[in-house]
């Protein structure tokens, strides 16, 4: 605002004022002449083209009887000059001595910021076709109307190009004024949306000199990024590129993206010198895209005549897109004025009451006038919708033109070539936006595409966009000196000679890169104790190391310090404790079920048998009979279902329902028993007092860990293990001794370390083992500074090694397991010994022996009964060989005969024989007859 009041003071000092009357001035309803002003920098590429275009548009509007109805536009033009912007503004405002309803311009965003304050105060619309600063659209400047594309969309196109070529970091070189700063701020926002960023900003003074340019480029050359965005004015842009060529910054590896100042220069200047063309070879630039309409073609065809007739000082020059927008700006204002008059509005000016307090003195601020209907004209301008030489002209609610789009241009040889297009609706495409939008579907906009580019250095290979270092310094790669697990990292004879699994993986990944990397290993540590990895990574943040290679675990806290590559080995934390093998016993077949399970299972068998007997006994003869038979039937039926071998027929529906459900239960029990028994007999069973991390934490036993690893912080911070319980250990030998001693002898109950270490430790120590599950999922990676592009390329190389088997070959070379996991030991586990089953054989043998003994006792009893009741004597073995049914029949007949003899003997004993030989007794004749029989 200080500049604003100073400007007004100077204007009044020169006698400038908007109105010379203190009273309101009313003009006729439809005046014959409407005065408009224009502000150009006539010695610039944009200004000289805009002058011709605006004059042609004024003439075309005045010659067109269909618009403004006999009202003529009168143009007052002022040169804002480039050398001294403030004085240029003073000179440019001379046209405001008369009743001016609108101002075309200014050309520079810096001037637009200042003049917008005047436009706000005087209610005069400011229509700029070249001020592209996106902040001018703010609510602070309601009377500023941008009739060209905003830098917001220009920078969106640049960001899309950067993302398309998969670059992440760019360097921004810009003029340190409102135009440059706000444009680069918009670029930063657009890059952030693409997950890219500006890694370095190089502001330059508006008073640009060769020395200042060189100093700025020297700093740029020291940066890693080789993607340079040049947002500058055309008057100094070529000089920056020429200085860059002299400093070898226009060769292979560099990418220069110039904003539309370069395309404007190429379009305007019909012939540039060979030295200028050499300085811009391979540069990418953008140009506002305008459709090839009939209006545009007619205007372009007139351009040569217009420049020849209206310009003698600068010679012939080409038409740039800013000239097209300047031409449409005049027509835009004409349409708005036409609507203004059709609404019955008058052009009138009145005193500014806010300045009445400054009437005293020589400045006479109260002489300034305000355009009374300026807000109405502004509203009409924003509502215009017309077809112009730039295409459809219409404003969005936020004050920008619709359908922003750009051409992407590659400077080649003596000219340029369009390699694609960008629009805010379709992104990058090789199809012009207007044709793409007219298609029925937008499928072609799904995949961004551009034609091939010839980059600086005359190469068609896409630059990777960054360099490791510009001063030839080798990468300093830190390597921890471990006192244990030398299979991962081992130090050689030389000071920077290292070997091991981690080193081989790093070298293999480096060899897979598409470019050479010069580096040297720098040892870290005293060689007596393991170094702290956190201290090693801190060296990257301080700049002492450019990378760290080793067994470095990727953790959340560490990723806040550095960037890691893709993990090249998985290694979570595990618990290692003493274990012993459970020897197989004679009663191993009982181990699948617990005692309670055996009891419940047996009771269930009997219970189901009893239930089925209750349900069947009244209707099923097979479940009837003497109590003994029924009891045996229950027992037999119950346990025969275990093998699905029951023969009893089930007649009742309820009995069948119970049996079906019970058979399903028996199936599950049988399958579970077989699976568990198989596991017990074929898988090696190990036992340990420590069951896993949970049981270890709940106890108070000491815990060992590798000194310098992240395990200490994880146990104390994440698992809340008291630090007094933690015992730092340095080597596998210390692991072994501490585990063998145990807590009672000053050792540890278990050691917590990463799986990669523990697998190597356990490969030769079979008396220890991993108990429980791996309770973290992590991996090892190589560390680089934050946002280092080398980390991305190394990650890609590691993935390639993983896909082609390179990682596995390195793993087999260094980390092959030995004795404890040999094939012979595995075969011993798979083969089942006799001692695992002799209990079953004993049980079966005992049952056989008992059954034979009971059978023998039964046979002896039967033989003795047979001998007592039979007159014929047989040997025991002959009796045994007889069928039991035959023996029973013979025994039954012998019993009957014996009974008859006893009855006859009884009868004989009851008869007396007389001396005459007669028998005395009842039925003596029958008795005799029966006896004889």
């Amino acid at each position: 605002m200080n500049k604003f009041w100073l400007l007004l003071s100077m204007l009044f000092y020169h006698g400038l004022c908007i109105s010379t009357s203190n009273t309101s001035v009313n003009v006729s309803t439809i005046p014959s002449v409407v005065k408009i002003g224009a502000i150009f920098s006539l010695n610039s590429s944009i200004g000289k083209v805009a002058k011709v275009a605006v004059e042609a548009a004024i003439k075309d509007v005045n010659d067109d009887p269909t618009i403004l109805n006999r009202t003529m536009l009168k143009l007052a033009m002022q040169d804002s000059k480039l050398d001294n912007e403030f004085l240029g503004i003073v000179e440019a405002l001379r046209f405001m001595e008369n009743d001016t309803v609108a101002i075309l311009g200014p050309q520079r965003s810096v001037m637009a910021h200042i003049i917008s304050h005047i436009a706000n105060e005087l209610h005069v619309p400011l229509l700029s076709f070249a001020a592209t600063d996106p902040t001018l659209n703010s609510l602070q400047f309601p009377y500023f109307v941008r009739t060209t594309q905003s830098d917001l969309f220009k920078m969106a196109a640049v960001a899309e190009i950067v993302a398309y070529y998969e670059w992440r970091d760019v360097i921004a070189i810009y003029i340190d004024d409102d135009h440059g700063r706000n444009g680069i701020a918009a670029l930063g926002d657009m890059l952030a949306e693409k997950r890219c960023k500006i890694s370095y900003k190089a502001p330059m003074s508006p008073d640009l000199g060769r020395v200042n340019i060189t100093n700025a480029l020297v700093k740029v050359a020291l940066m890693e990024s080789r993607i340079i965005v040049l947002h500058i004015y055309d008057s100094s842009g070529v000089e920056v590129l020429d200085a860059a060529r002299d400093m070898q910054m226009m060769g292979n590896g560099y990418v220069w993206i110039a904003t539309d100042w370069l395309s404007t220069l190429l379009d305007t200047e019909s012939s540039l010198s060979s030295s200028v063309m050499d300085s811009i070879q391979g540069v990418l630039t953008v140009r506002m895209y305008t459709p090839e309409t009939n209006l545009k073609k007619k205007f372009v065809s007139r351009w040569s005549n217009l420049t020849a007739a209206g310009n003698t000082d600068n010679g012939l020059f080409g038409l740039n897109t800013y000239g097209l927008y300047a031409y449409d700006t005049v027509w835009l204002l004409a349409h708005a004025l036409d609507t203004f008059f059709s609404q019955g509005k008058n052009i009138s000016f009145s005193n500014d009451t806010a300045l009445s307090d400054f009437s005293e003195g020589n400045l006479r601020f109260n002489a300034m006038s305000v355009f009374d209907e300026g807000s109405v004209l502004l509203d009409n301008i924003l509502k215009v919708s017309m077809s112009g030489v730039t295409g459809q002209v219409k404003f969005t609610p936020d004050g920008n033109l619709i359908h922003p789009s750009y051409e992407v241009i590659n400077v080649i040889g003596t000219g340029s070539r369009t390699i694609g297009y960008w629009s805010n609706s379709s992104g990058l495409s090789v199809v012009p936006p207007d044709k793409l939008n007219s298609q029925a579907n937008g499928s072609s906009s799904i995949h961004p595409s551009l034609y091939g580019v010839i980059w600086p250095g005359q190469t068609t290979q896409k630059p990777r966009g960054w360099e490791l270092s510009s001063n030839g310094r080798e990468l300093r790669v830190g390597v921890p000196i471990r006192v244990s697990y030398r299979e991962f990292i081992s130090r050689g004879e030389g000071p920077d000679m290292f070997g091991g699994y981690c080193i081989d993986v790093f070298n293999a990944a480096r060899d897979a890169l598409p470019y050479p990397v010069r580096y040297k290993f720098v040892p870290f540590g005293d060689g007596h104790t393991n170094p702290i990895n956190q201290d090693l990574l801190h060296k990257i943040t301080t700049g002492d190391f450019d990378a760290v290679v080793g067994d470095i675990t990727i953790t959340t806290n560490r990723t806040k310090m550095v960037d890691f590559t893709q993990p090249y080995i998985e290694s979570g934390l595990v618990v290692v404790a003493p274990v012993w093998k459970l020897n197989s016993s004679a009663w191993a077949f009982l181990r699948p079920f617990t005692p309670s399970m055996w009891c419940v299972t047996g009771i269930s068998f009997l219970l189901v048998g009893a239930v089925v007997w209750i349900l069947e006994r009244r209707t099923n003869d097979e479940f009837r009979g003497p109590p003994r038979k029924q009891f045996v039937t229950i027992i037999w039926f119950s346990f025969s279902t275990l093998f699905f071998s029951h023969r009893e027929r089930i007649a009742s529906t309820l009995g069948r329902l119970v049996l079906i459900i019970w058979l399903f239960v028996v199936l599950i029990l049988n399958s579970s028993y077989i699976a568990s028994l198989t596991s017990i007999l074929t898988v090696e069973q190990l036992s340990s007092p420590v069951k896993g991390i949970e049981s270890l934490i709940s106890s108070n036993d000491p815990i060992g860990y590798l000194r310098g690893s992240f395990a200490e912080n994880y146990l104390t911070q994440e698992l809340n293990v008291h630090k007094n319980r933690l015992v730092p250990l340095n080597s596998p030998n210390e692991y072994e001794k501490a585990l063998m001693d145990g807590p009672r002898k000053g050792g540890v109950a278990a050691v917590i370390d990463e799986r990669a270490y523990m697998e190597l430790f356990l490969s030769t120590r079979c008396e220890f083992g991993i108990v429980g599950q791996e309770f973290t999922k992590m991996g090892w990676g190589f560390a680089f500074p934050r946002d280092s592009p080398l980390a991305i390329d190394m990650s890609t190389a590691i993935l390639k090694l993983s896909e082609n088997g390179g990682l596995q070959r390195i793993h087999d070379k260094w980390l092959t397991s030995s004795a404890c996991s040999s094939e012979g030991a595995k075969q011993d586990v798979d083969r089942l010994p006799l001692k695992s089953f002799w209990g079953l054989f004993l049980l079966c043998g005992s049952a056989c022996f008992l059954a034979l003994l009971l059978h023998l006792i039964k046979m002896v009893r039967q033989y003795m009964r047979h001998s007592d009741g039979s007159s014929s004597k047989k040997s025991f073995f002959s009796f045994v060989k007889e069928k039991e049914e035959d023996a029973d029949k013979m025994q039954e007949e012998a019993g009957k005969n014996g009974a008859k003899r006893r009855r006859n003997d009884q009868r004989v004993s009851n008869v007396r024989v007389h001396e005459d030989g007669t028998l005395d007794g009842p039925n003596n004749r029958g008795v005799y007859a029966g006896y004889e029989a």
Side-chain angles (χ1 to χ4, degrees), residues 238-259:
V238 172
E239 189 172 358
V240 172
L241 292 175
D242 183 66
R245 186 187 63 169
D246 293 341
M247 297 176 61
Q248 307 299 317
M249 295 177 65
M250 295 296 296
N252 289 337
Y254 280 90
V255 175
W256 287 82
I257 303 176
T259 51

Side-chain angles (χ1 to χ4, degrees), residues 473-489:
R473 180 176 64 87
E474 295 179 325
L475 285 181
R476 292 173 53 85
V477 181
V479 181
I481 303 177
R482 297 289 186 194
V483 297
S484 58
Y485 301 114
R486 298 184 179 275
E487 291 84 354
F488 294 107
I489 298 176

Side-chain angles (χ1 to χ4, degrees), residues 709-721:
S709 73
F710 76 100
E712 178 183 9
N713 290 335
Y714 185 85
L715 291 173
T716 56
Q717 297 177 7
E718 300 295 334
L719 302 182
N720 298 320
V721 178

